[in-house]
Each structure stands twice: as structure tokens, then as C-alpha cells.
Amino acid sequence: MKKVVKFGGSSLASAEQFKKVGDIIRADKDRKYVVPSAPGKRHSKDTKVTDMLYSCYELAEEGKDFKKELAAIKERYQEIIDGLSLALSLEDEFKEIEKNFKAKAGSDYAASRGEYLNGIIMANYLGYEFIDAATVIFFDEHGEFNAEKTHKVLRAKLKETERAVVPGFYGAKEDGTVKTFSRGGSDVTGSIVARAAHVDVYENWTDVSGFLVADPRIIYKPEVIEVITYKELRELAYMGASVLHEDAIFPVRKEGIPINIRNTNKPNDAGTWIVGSTCQKSKYTITGIAGKKGFCSVILEKDMMNGEIGFGRKVLQAFEDNDISFEHMPSGIDTMTILVHQDEFMHKEQSVVSAIHRLADPDHIEIEADLALIAVVGRGMKSSRGTAGRIFSALAHANVNVKMIDQGSSELNIIIGVKNEDFEVAIKAIYDIFVEVRL
Ligand code: ASP
């Protein structure tokens, strides 16, 4: 058995956290490849090292003095090194970083030093080999991740390395310049390493015990999801549930490697398993609920719309011409509704409306703002009757007016549109009916 273990910033924020991580890795000899993030916040008012690096580099780029800021970053690492009693000095590394900052090596280079230095400490602490991600993770000249080359080079390297630390978040372009993934990208590195090493499990260690059935800011202590499929996760993540970087599932998905989300502070919790497919039913018919506020609906009416071939295309053309993507498009016989993000749509509203008039000539257009969308997701919905019924009677009892309903034919999710102000009440009502009142 082989496992990749990725640790997030809060798991590596201090020497104390590093010790927990060391214990976790040593407790299982299968944990052979380690992907660390940069040190995160030690407490709620603290600053992540990545953010410190970005602001320090900003000064360097403006030609200002950045000594104090760089010293503060060095201090964060020194605290960890001292706390772990390591005979390691990052003196030369920091000289090099200072030189490269002065030479304006770029903000990606700057940010990447967070995981680079943490990787060096981690490798020293564990006695594992350190592999600089810039030598095994590649981006093309446009900055797009080069999956093929990375897989080939990384696979060959890991084949000859029994145990290694590969820092997360960055790699290098063809010309050697450092490039990062988007924020939170160490999750992606973990997935890439898992695929290249053909491991059995990708363990992603963070500060929560897995994905929750609903947002804890709305539901008091929601239950943890035990097993979720990649597809369900995509649906929930898109609607705002975030624990994992959204691109992190693609590399492992190719190989069918499961991801296990675990809690560094509660290592005995089983966490959440993210899998390709499963015969395990979710505990409550639904797997999770997520949602977002800030949508707008554009409602069109036109007599005999149904018979007019090309009407939908013309309407969507008006959105495309204004560079606006749409979220949902429920339709009736003579009506059609387009749901869009309000902040994207707002300042282009009149231009879209006139384009619709010009291209599709509807009888009437109405715009409704301040809507929220809620996704109720569950692979179990396909095989159980009455799910929609339960959702809508719960919403009716909670006095929530449903503005829109959309259920894909995959029956994996039901999307419900409500007014922004009903959002929290609606989520509570749905959670209660499935999780609290079990049938
Ligand atoms: N350190 C980077 C960030 O703060 C990447 C990561 O933690 O995954 O976004």
C-alpha cells in the first residue's frame, strides 16, 4: 500500500502542528509521499505566510525596502525549526530569496517560497528526500498545467524514491520560471503526486473532519459526509462548499484513486471519502446541501415561443455577446427564464435586454434580482421516491416561496431558487427534514 498525504497551512502553522503531522506520518508506514502547504494562520488574527510573501514582494516590485517584511517571514520558519530542535539553517535560502526579490523574479516565485521552505523543513524533520516541485511539475509557455510531461517526469522520479516531500502549489514553465496554481493549489499538487505514484489513497489533511452536509455558519454542528462521489462533490463545490481546491479531483479521478479528507487535530476521525462510485448509500438520501446568494433572473415571454425554432439560441446569443455566462435556463411553453450572477449582469443589464429585443423580439422581459440558488445533491435521490416532495413540503412549512426548480435528468441534484432573504431558512428546513427527521 502507498499513500500520498497532503497537509494544509493550518496543519503546518507552528512547530506544535508539525509535531502532530510527524506523528500522523510515522503512524503509518504507507504514508510515503508528503505534500506540504506553506505555514498558515496560528490563530484567527494571524497572517498566512503566503500572504506575507505576496505583500513583501509587492514592496520589492515597487523598488521599496522589504527587509523588515522578509525578516518577519524568516522568523516564522525559524520558530518552527527551533520548536522542532532541527539542526537546519535557512540562511542561504533567504539570501537567495532576497536576491531574487530584488531582481523581480515575479509574484508566483515569491508565493511559491512558502511551500518550498516548508518542504525543506518537513523533509529534514522526517528524514525524507526533498524534491523541488519546479523540477517535476510543469506548466507550458501560456501558464497552463502540462499534465503529460509532469506525469512522465514525476512518475520516473518517484519510482526511484522510496519516501519524499514534494512542496505543493507550484511548478515551473519550460524556461524555468516558477509558476503557481491558483490559491489553495497544494491540493492539486497532492492529487498530481498521487496519480504519478499510483498510490492507493490520497489523504488530504486539514482542520475539519471532512465535508459537512451543510454550511456550519447556517446549521449548528452539521453532520459529516462519510462518502461522497466526485460528481456530487463537483455539484456541491460549485455551489460554494469548499474544503478542497476544485481542480484537485481531476488527476486522481483518472486513476480512480479515492481522496480521504482528514483532520490533523482529530486524527482518529474517519473524515470524508471522495470516490469515483460507490454502492454505499448516503445516510440520509441526500448527500449534501450548498447554495449561493446573488443571482438574478431574466424572464422572457413570447406567444408561440415553443414553436419558434432558434428562439433559445438567439436569447443566449445576447448573453454571449455581452460575455455573461448563464447558470440555469428553465422554460415553459411561452416563457423562458435565464439565471445569471447578479454582479456580472448588473452593469450590462440594459445592453443585454436591448440585444434580446433585437435578436429574439420577445413580447415581454422582466428582471428579478436578489435570488439565491440552493443545490440539494445526492446520488441516492435516483432510487428513492418523494425526495422532491419532502423538500417542497419542508419549504412550504417554513413559509419559503420557491421561485425556481431545476432537476437535471441525472437526478443527482435539485436546484431551488428562493429570495436571498429566505436562503438560510430554506437550508435549515431542508437539512431538518432529511437529517433531523429521518424516514
Ligand atoms: N499556500 C497557498 C495558499 O495559501 C497554497 C495552498 O495552501 O494550497 O493559497
Side-chain angles (χ1 to χ4, degrees), residues 123-153:
N124 187 287
Y125 178 52
L126 296 172
Y128 281 23
E129 186 173 324
F130 173 73
I131 301 175
D132 184 355
T135 64
V136 287
I137 307 260
F138 300 102
F139 292 83
D140 66 18
E141 67 270 32
H142 310 293
E144 292 295 320
F145 172 57
N146 185 339
E148 237 164 81
K149 183 175 173 191
T150 299
H151 188 62
K152 227 173 100 208
V153 175

PDB file of all heavy atoms in Angstrom, residues 123-153:
ATOM      1  N   ALA A 123      11.114  17.782   5.075  1.00  0.00           N
ATOM      2  CA  ALA A 123      11.992  16.691   4.646  1.00  0.00           C
ATOM      3  C   ALA A 123      13.080  16.457   5.695  1.00  0.00           C
ATOM      4  O   ALA A 123      13.399  15.309   6.041  1.00  0.00           O
ATOM      5  CB  ALA A 123      12.618  17.025   3.293  1.00  0.00           C
ATOM      6  N   ASN A 124      13.612  17.542   6.230  1.00  0.00           N
ATOM      7  CA  ASN A 124      14.645  17.443   7.254  1.00  0.00           C
ATOM      8  C   ASN A 124      14.080  16.781   8.519  1.00  0.00           C
ATOM      9  O   ASN A 124      14.692  15.900   9.122  1.00  0.00           O
ATOM     10  CB  ASN A 124      15.164  18.860   7.558  1.00  0.00           C
ATOM     11  CG  ASN A 124      16.340  18.847   8.482  1.00  0.00           C
ATOM     12  OD1 ASN A 124      16.191  18.590   9.672  1.00  0.00           O
ATOM     13  ND2 ASN A 124      17.533  19.120   7.954  1.00  0.00           N
ATOM     14  N   TYR A 125      12.897  17.188   8.888  1.00  0.00           N
ATOM     15  CA  TYR A 125      12.240  16.673  10.099  1.00  0.00           C
ATOM     16  C   TYR A 125      11.915  15.171   9.992  1.00  0.00           C
ATOM     17  O   TYR A 125      12.089  14.418  10.937  1.00  0.00           O
ATOM     18  CB  TYR A 125      10.964  17.497  10.331  1.00  0.00           C
ATOM     19  CG  TYR A 125      10.127  17.093  11.508  1.00  0.00           C
ATOM     20  CD1 TYR A 125      10.676  16.945  12.785  1.00  0.00           C
ATOM     21  CD2 TYR A 125       8.754  16.865  11.360  1.00  0.00           C
ATOM     22  CE1 TYR A 125       9.884  16.585  13.865  1.00  0.00           C
ATOM     23  CE2 TYR A 125       7.959  16.519  12.434  1.00  0.00           C
ATOM     24  CZ  TYR A 125       8.529  16.377  13.685  1.00  0.00           C
ATOM     25  OH  TYR A 125       7.749  16.019  14.750  1.00  0.00           O
ATOM     26  N   LEU A 126      11.487  14.766   8.804  1.00  0.00           N
ATOM     27  CA  LEU A 126      11.081  13.362   8.632  1.00  0.00           C
ATOM     28  C   LEU A 126      12.228  12.459   8.185  1.00  0.00           C
ATOM     29  O   LEU A 126      12.121  11.230   8.270  1.00  0.00           O
ATOM     30  CB  LEU A 126       9.979  13.263   7.557  1.00  0.00           C
ATOM     31  CG  LEU A 126       8.636  13.927   7.827  1.00  0.00           C
ATOM     32  CD1 LEU A 126       7.770  13.888   6.570  1.00  0.00           C
ATOM     33  CD2 LEU A 126       7.922  13.237   8.993  1.00  0.00           C
ATOM     34  N   GLY A 127      13.288  13.067   7.653  1.00  0.00           N
ATOM     35  CA  GLY A 127      14.363  12.257   7.064  1.00  0.00           C
ATOM     36  C   GLY A 127      13.954  11.709   5.697  1.00  0.00           C
ATOM     37  O   GLY A 127      14.379  10.634   5.280  1.00  0.00           O
ATOM     38  N   TYR A 128      13.090  12.441   5.000  1.00  0.00           N
ATOM     39  CA  TYR A 128      12.651  12.060   3.656  1.00  0.00           C
ATOM     40  C   TYR A 128      13.455  12.864   2.632  1.00  0.00           C
ATOM     41  O   TYR A 128      13.992  13.932   2.948  1.00  0.00           O
ATOM     42  CB  TYR A 128      11.162  12.403   3.445  1.00  0.00           C
ATOM     43  CG  TYR A 128      10.163  11.432   4.042  1.00  0.00           C
ATOM     44  CD1 TYR A 128      10.503  10.592   5.098  1.00  0.00           C
ATOM     45  CD2 TYR A 128       8.864  11.369   3.542  1.00  0.00           C
ATOM     46  CE1 TYR A 128       9.558   9.714   5.645  1.00  0.00           C
ATOM     47  CE2 TYR A 128       7.918  10.496   4.078  1.00  0.00           C
ATOM     48  CZ  TYR A 128       8.274   9.679   5.135  1.00  0.00           C
ATOM     49  OH  TYR A 128       7.360   8.825   5.664  1.00  0.00           O
ATOM     50  N   GLU A 129      13.464  12.400   1.394  1.00  0.00           N
ATOM     51  CA  GLU A 129      14.126  13.162   0.336  1.00  0.00           C
ATOM     52  C   GLU A 129      13.275  14.395  -0.016  1.00  0.00           C
ATOM     53  O   GLU A 129      12.042  14.314  -0.027  1.00  0.00           O
ATOM     54  CB  GLU A 129      14.314  12.282  -0.905  1.00  0.00           C
ATOM     55  CG  GLU A 129      15.117  12.982  -1.983  1.00  0.00           C
ATOM     56  CD  GLU A 129      15.462  12.068  -3.159  1.00  0.00           C
ATOM     57  OE1 GLU A 129      15.712  10.862  -2.936  1.00  0.00           O
ATOM     58  OE2 GLU A 129      15.477  12.566  -4.288  1.00  0.00           O
ATOM     59  N   PHE A 130      13.942  15.514  -0.332  1.00  0.00           N
ATOM     60  CA  PHE A 130      13.213  16.709  -0.765  1.00  0.00           C
ATOM     61  C   PHE A 130      13.254  16.801  -2.289  1.00  0.00           C
ATOM     62  O   PHE A 130      14.327  16.744  -2.886  1.00  0.00           O
ATOM     63  CB  PHE A 130      13.863  17.975  -0.169  1.00  0.00           C
ATOM     64  CG  PHE A 130      13.273  19.256  -0.694  1.00  0.00           C
ATOM     65  CD1 PHE A 130      12.011  19.679  -0.295  1.00  0.00           C
ATOM     66  CD2 PHE A 130      13.969  20.040  -1.612  1.00  0.00           C
ATOM     67  CE1 PHE A 130      11.458  20.858  -0.784  1.00  0.00           C
ATOM     68  CE2 PHE A 130      13.419  21.226  -2.112  1.00  0.00           C
ATOM     69  CZ  PHE A 130      12.162  21.632  -1.691  1.00  0.00           C
ATOM     70  N   ILE A 131      12.105  16.907  -2.912  1.00  0.00           N
ATOM     71  CA  ILE A 131      12.064  17.080  -4.374  1.00  0.00           C
ATOM     72  C   ILE A 131      11.476  18.459  -4.665  1.00  0.00           C
ATOM     73  O   ILE A 131      10.310  18.721  -4.357  1.00  0.00           O
ATOM     74  CB  ILE A 131      11.182  15.994  -5.046  1.00  0.00           C
ATOM     75  CG1 ILE A 131      11.718  14.589  -4.731  1.00  0.00           C
ATOM     76  CG2 ILE A 131      11.103  16.218  -6.553  1.00  0.00           C
ATOM     77  CD1 ILE A 131      10.843  13.450  -5.261  1.00  0.00           C
ATOM     78  N   ASP A 132      12.264  19.346  -5.240  1.00  0.00           N
ATOM     79  CA  ASP A 132      11.767  20.681  -5.573  1.00  0.00           C
ATOM     80  C   ASP A 132      10.695  20.537  -6.663  1.00  0.00           C
ATOM     81  O   ASP A 132      10.960  19.975  -7.735  1.00  0.00           O
ATOM     82  CB  ASP A 132      12.937  21.549  -6.075  1.00  0.00           C
ATOM     83  CG  ASP A 132      12.513  22.985  -6.362  1.00  0.00           C
ATOM     84  OD1 ASP A 132      11.303  23.291  -6.268  1.00  0.00           O
ATOM     85  OD2 ASP A 132      13.393  23.799  -6.687  1.00  0.00           O
ATOM     86  N   ALA A 133       9.501  21.049  -6.383  1.00  0.00           N
ATOM     87  CA  ALA A 133       8.390  20.894  -7.336  1.00  0.00           C
ATOM     88  C   ALA A 133       8.724  21.506  -8.704  1.00  0.00           C
ATOM     89  O   ALA A 133       8.170  21.087  -9.726  1.00  0.00           O
ATOM     90  CB  ALA A 133       7.129  21.522  -6.762  1.00  0.00           C
ATOM     91  N   ALA A 134       9.633  22.483  -8.732  1.00  0.00           N
ATOM     92  CA  ALA A 134       9.988  23.114 -10.015  1.00  0.00           C
ATOM     93  C   ALA A 134      10.687  22.127 -10.955  1.00  0.00           C
ATOM     94  O   ALA A 134      10.762  22.371 -12.157  1.00  0.00           O
ATOM     95  CB  ALA A 134      10.892  24.324  -9.773  1.00  0.00           C
ATOM     96  N   THR A 135      11.165  21.010 -10.415  1.00  0.00           N
ATOM     97  CA  THR A 135      11.847  20.028 -11.267  1.00  0.00           C
ATOM     98  C   THR A 135      10.929  18.892 -11.724  1.00  0.00           C
ATOM     99  O   THR A 135      11.332  18.047 -12.518  1.00  0.00           O
ATOM    100  CB  THR A 135      13.067  19.409 -10.536  1.00  0.00           C
ATOM    101  OG1 THR A 135      12.573  18.686  -9.384  1.00  0.00           O
ATOM    102  CG2 THR A 135      14.050  20.472 -10.075  1.00  0.00           C
ATOM    103  N   VAL A 136       9.712  18.852 -11.204  1.00  0.00           N
ATOM    104  CA  VAL A 136       8.817  17.726 -11.551  1.00  0.00           C
ATOM    105  C   VAL A 136       7.387  18.128 -11.934  1.00  0.00           C
ATOM    106  O   VAL A 136       6.620  17.305 -12.424  1.00  0.00           O
ATOM    107  CB  VAL A 136       8.743  16.705 -10.388  1.00  0.00           C
ATOM    108  CG1 VAL A 136      10.032  15.906 -10.270  1.00  0.00           C
ATOM    109  CG2 VAL A 136       8.407  17.373  -9.065  1.00  0.00           C
ATOM    110  N   ILE A 137       7.012  19.380 -11.687  1.00  0.00           N
ATOM    111  CA  ILE A 137       5.649  19.841 -12.036  1.00  0.00           C
ATOM    112  C   ILE A 137       5.820  20.920 -13.103  1.00  0.00           C
ATOM    113  O   ILE A 137       6.516  21.917 -12.870  1.00  0.00           O
ATOM    114  CB  ILE A 137       4.919  20.442 -10.815  1.00  0.00           C
ATOM    115  CG1 ILE A 137       4.933  19.462  -9.631  1.00  0.00           C
ATOM    116  CG2 ILE A 137       3.528  20.947 -11.180  1.00  0.00           C
ATOM    117  CD1 ILE A 137       3.714  18.654  -9.382  1.00  0.00           C
ATOM    118  N   PHE A 138       5.170  20.725 -14.249  1.00  0.00           N
ATOM    119  CA  PHE A 138       5.445  21.627 -15.373  1.00  0.00           C
ATOM    120  C   PHE A 138       4.209  22.368 -15.891  1.00  0.00           C
ATOM    121  O   PHE A 138       3.100  21.827 -15.896  1.00  0.00           O
ATOM    122  CB  PHE A 138       6.065  20.831 -16.525  1.00  0.00           C
ATOM    123  CG  PHE A 138       7.356  20.165 -16.113  1.00  0.00           C
ATOM    124  CD1 PHE A 138       7.387  18.815 -15.824  1.00  0.00           C
ATOM    125  CD2 PHE A 138       8.521  20.902 -15.973  1.00  0.00           C
ATOM    126  CE1 PHE A 138       8.565  18.201 -15.407  1.00  0.00           C
ATOM    127  CE2 PHE A 138       9.706  20.308 -15.564  1.00  0.00           C
ATOM    128  CZ  PHE A 138       9.729  18.952 -15.280  1.00  0.00           C
ATOM    129  N   PHE A 139       4.480  23.567 -16.353  1.00  0.00           N
ATOM    130  CA  PHE A 139       3.460  24.403 -16.994  1.00  0.00           C
ATOM    131  C   PHE A 139       3.962  24.755 -18.392  1.00  0.00           C
ATOM    132  O   PHE A 139       5.180  24.843 -18.609  1.00  0.00           O
ATOM    133  CB  PHE A 139       3.259  25.699 -16.196  1.00  0.00           C
ATOM    134  CG  PHE A 139       2.636  25.486 -14.846  1.00  0.00           C
ATOM    135  CD1 PHE A 139       3.412  25.123 -13.749  1.00  0.00           C
ATOM    136  CD2 PHE A 139       1.271  25.641 -14.658  1.00  0.00           C
ATOM    137  CE1 PHE A 139       2.840  24.915 -12.488  1.00  0.00           C
ATOM    138  CE2 PHE A 139       0.688  25.443 -13.408  1.00  0.00           C
ATOM    139  CZ  PHE A 139       1.479  25.083 -12.321  1.00  0.00           C
ATOM    140  N   ASP A 140       3.050  24.948 -19.331  1.00  0.00           N
ATOM    141  CA  ASP A 140       3.504  25.316 -20.682  1.00  0.00           C
ATOM    142  C   ASP A 140       3.772  26.820 -20.751  1.00  0.00           C
ATOM    143  O   ASP A 140       3.624  27.533 -19.757  1.00  0.00           O
ATOM    144  CB  ASP A 140       2.510  24.844 -21.759  1.00  0.00           C
ATOM    145  CG  ASP A 140       1.169  25.554 -21.680  1.00  0.00           C
ATOM    146  OD1 ASP A 140       1.102  26.628 -21.038  1.00  0.00           O
ATOM    147  OD2 ASP A 140       0.194  25.048 -22.260  1.00  0.00           O
ATOM    148  N   GLU A 141       4.135  27.286 -21.944  1.00  0.00           N
ATOM    149  CA  GLU A 141       4.539  28.696 -22.038  1.00  0.00           C
ATOM    150  C   GLU A 141       3.374  29.662 -21.789  1.00  0.00           C
ATOM    151  O   GLU A 141       3.579  30.834 -21.488  1.00  0.00           O
ATOM    152  CB  GLU A 141       5.239  28.988 -23.385  1.00  0.00           C
ATOM    153  CG  GLU A 141       4.359  28.875 -24.622  1.00  0.00           C
ATOM    154  CD  GLU A 141       4.359  27.460 -25.226  1.00  0.00           C
ATOM    155  OE1 GLU A 141       4.484  26.476 -24.454  1.00  0.00           O
ATOM    156  OE2 GLU A 141       4.223  27.333 -26.455  1.00  0.00           O
ATOM    157  N   HIS A 142       2.119  29.142 -21.899  1.00  0.00           N
ATOM    158  CA  HIS A 142       0.965  30.007 -21.604  1.00  0.00           C
ATOM    159  C   HIS A 142       0.563  29.940 -20.135  1.00  0.00           C
ATOM    160  O   HIS A 142      -0.450  30.511 -19.724  1.00  0.00           O
ATOM    161  CB  HIS A 142      -0.240  29.613 -22.461  1.00  0.00           C
ATOM    162  CG  HIS A 142       0.074  29.499 -23.915  1.00  0.00           C
ATOM    163  ND1 HIS A 142       0.417  30.601 -24.660  1.00  0.00           N
ATOM    164  CD2 HIS A 142       0.146  28.423 -24.745  1.00  0.00           C
ATOM    165  CE1 HIS A 142       0.667  30.199 -25.908  1.00  0.00           C
ATOM    166  NE2 HIS A 142       0.517  28.889 -25.974  1.00  0.00           N
ATOM    167  N   GLY A 143       1.309  29.137 -19.378  1.00  0.00           N
ATOM    168  CA  GLY A 143       0.992  29.028 -17.956  1.00  0.00           C
ATOM    169  C   GLY A 143      -0.036  27.953 -17.655  1.00  0.00           C
ATOM    170  O   GLY A 143      -0.531  27.856 -16.532  1.00  0.00           O
ATOM    171  N   GLU A 144      -0.369  27.126 -18.666  1.00  0.00           N
ATOM    172  CA  GLU A 144      -1.324  26.031 -18.428  1.00  0.00           C
ATOM    173  C   GLU A 144      -0.561  24.832 -17.888  1.00  0.00           C
ATOM    174  O   GLU A 144       0.543  24.530 -18.360  1.00  0.00           O
ATOM    175  CB  GLU A 144      -2.013  25.608 -19.738  1.00  0.00           C
ATOM    176  CG  GLU A 144      -2.938  26.637 -20.330  1.00  0.00           C
ATOM    177  CD  GLU A 144      -4.142  26.926 -19.458  1.00  0.00           C
ATOM    178  OE1 GLU A 144      -4.691  25.971 -18.873  1.00  0.00           O
ATOM    179  OE2 GLU A 144      -4.499  28.110 -19.350  1.00  0.00           O
ATOM    180  N   PHE A 145      -1.169  24.107 -16.962  1.00  0.00           N
ATOM    181  CA  PHE A 145      -0.529  22.936 -16.398  1.00  0.00           C
ATOM    182  C   PHE A 145      -0.292  21.883 -17.486  1.00  0.00           C
ATOM    183  O   PHE A 145      -1.196  21.550 -18.242  1.00  0.00           O
ATOM    184  CB  PHE A 145      -1.420  22.360 -15.282  1.00  0.00           C
ATOM    185  CG  PHE A 145      -0.959  21.039 -14.764  1.00  0.00           C
ATOM    186  CD1 PHE A 145       0.323  20.892 -14.248  1.00  0.00           C
ATOM    187  CD2 PHE A 145      -1.789  19.925 -14.803  1.00  0.00           C
ATOM    188  CE1 PHE A 145       0.770  19.659 -13.781  1.00  0.00           C
ATOM    189  CE2 PHE A 145      -1.364  18.694 -14.336  1.00  0.00           C
ATOM    190  CZ  PHE A 145      -0.071  18.565 -13.828  1.00  0.00           C
ATOM    191  N   ASN A 146       0.942  21.380 -17.566  1.00  0.00           N
ATOM    192  CA  ASN A 146       1.281  20.370 -18.568  1.00  0.00           C
ATOM    193  C   ASN A 146       1.216  18.976 -17.915  1.00  0.00           C
ATOM    194  O   ASN A 146       2.190  18.491 -17.334  1.00  0.00           O
ATOM    195  CB  ASN A 146       2.689  20.664 -19.109  1.00  0.00           C
ATOM    196  CG  ASN A 146       3.084  19.741 -20.236  1.00  0.00           C
ATOM    197  OD1 ASN A 146       2.521  18.655 -20.389  1.00  0.00           O
ATOM    198  ND2 ASN A 146       4.064  20.147 -21.022  1.00  0.00           N
ATOM    199  N   ALA A 147       0.030  18.369 -18.002  1.00  0.00           N
ATOM    200  CA  ALA A 147      -0.225  17.120 -17.267  1.00  0.00           C
ATOM    201  C   ALA A 147       0.655  15.975 -17.766  1.00  0.00           C
ATOM    202  O   ALA A 147       1.180  15.188 -16.974  1.00  0.00           O
ATOM    203  CB  ALA A 147      -1.699  16.747 -17.385  1.00  0.00           C
ATOM    204  N   GLU A 148       0.821  15.915 -19.074  1.00  0.00           N
ATOM    205  CA  GLU A 148       1.545  14.771 -19.641  1.00  0.00           C
ATOM    206  C   GLU A 148       3.019  14.735 -19.255  1.00  0.00           C
ATOM    207  O   GLU A 148       3.531  13.725 -18.776  1.00  0.00           O
ATOM    208  CB  GLU A 148       1.440  14.838 -21.157  1.00  0.00           C
ATOM    209  CG  GLU A 148       0.837  13.575 -21.750  1.00  0.00           C
ATOM    210  CD  GLU A 148       0.407  13.845 -23.161  1.00  0.00           C
ATOM    211  OE1 GLU A 148       1.283  13.807 -24.040  1.00  0.00           O
ATOM    212  OE2 GLU A 148      -0.790  14.121 -23.360  1.00  0.00           O
ATOM    213  N   LYS A 149       3.657  15.874 -19.473  1.00  0.00           N
ATOM    214  CA  LYS A 149       5.086  15.943 -19.142  1.00  0.00           C
ATOM    215  C   LYS A 149       5.301  15.727 -17.638  1.00  0.00           C
ATOM    216  O   LYS A 149       6.193  14.985 -17.224  1.00  0.00           O
ATOM    217  CB  LYS A 149       5.662  17.300 -19.579  1.00  0.00           C
ATOM    218  CG  LYS A 149       7.147  17.403 -19.331  1.00  0.00           C
ATOM    219  CD  LYS A 149       7.748  18.688 -19.874  1.00  0.00           C
ATOM    220  CE  LYS A 149       9.212  18.799 -19.439  1.00  0.00           C
ATOM    221  NZ  LYS A 149       9.783  20.100 -19.700  1.00  0.00           N
ATOM    222  N   THR A 150       4.451  16.374 -16.852  1.00  0.00           N
ATOM    223  CA  THR A 150       4.568  16.228 -15.397  1.00  0.00           C
ATOM    224  C   THR A 150       4.451  14.763 -15.003  1.00  0.00           C
ATOM    225  O   THR A 150       5.255  14.242 -14.225  1.00  0.00           O
ATOM    226  CB  THR A 150       3.446  17.041 -14.693  1.00  0.00           C
ATOM    227  OG1 THR A 150       3.596  18.410 -15.038  1.00  0.00           O
ATOM    228  CG2 THR A 150       3.509  16.874 -13.191  1.00  0.00           C
ATOM    229  N   HIS A 151       3.447  14.097 -15.566  1.00  0.00           N
ATOM    230  CA  HIS A 151       3.203  12.705 -15.184  1.00  0.00           C
ATOM    231  C   HIS A 151       4.430  11.845 -15.493  1.00  0.00           C
ATOM    232  O   HIS A 151       4.842  11.021 -14.672  1.00  0.00           O
ATOM    233  CB  HIS A 151       1.964  12.191 -15.911  1.00  0.00           C
ATOM    234  CG  HIS A 151       1.520  10.839 -15.437  1.00  0.00           C
ATOM    235  ND1 HIS A 151       1.126  10.612 -14.142  1.00  0.00           N
ATOM    236  CD2 HIS A 151       1.443   9.647 -16.074  1.00  0.00           C
ATOM    237  CE1 HIS A 151       0.815   9.333 -13.998  1.00  0.00           C
ATOM    238  NE2 HIS A 151       1.000   8.724 -15.156  1.00  0.00           N
ATOM    239  N   LYS A 152       4.999  12.075 -16.673  1.00  0.00           N
ATOM    240  CA  LYS A 152       6.158  11.271 -17.097  1.00  0.00           C
ATOM    241  C   LYS A 152       7.374  11.489 -16.183  1.00  0.00           C
ATOM    242  O   LYS A 152       7.957  10.549 -15.644  1.00  0.00           O
ATOM    243  CB  LYS A 152       6.530  11.635 -18.545  1.00  0.00           C
ATOM    244  CG  LYS A 152       6.751  10.408 -19.404  1.00  0.00           C
ATOM    245  CD  LYS A 152       6.946  10.758 -20.848  1.00  0.00           C
ATOM    246  CE  LYS A 152       8.418  10.740 -21.182  1.00  0.00           C
ATOM    247  NZ  LYS A 152       8.785  11.620 -22.267  1.00  0.00           N
ATOM    248  N   VAL A 153       7.704  12.752 -15.998  1.00  0.00           N
ATOM    249  CA  VAL A 153       8.907  13.083 -15.217  1.00  0.00           C
ATOM    250  C   VAL A 153       8.724  12.717 -13.739  1.00  0.00           C
ATOM    251  O   VAL A 153       9.592  12.098 -13.113  1.00  0.00           O
ATOM    252  CB  VAL A 153       9.251  14.590 -15.360  1.00  0.00           C
ATOM    253  CG1 VAL A 153      10.419  14.978 -14.471  1.00  0.00           C
ATOM    254  CG2 VAL A 153       9.535  14.922 -16.812  1.00  0.00           C
TER     255      VAL A 153
END
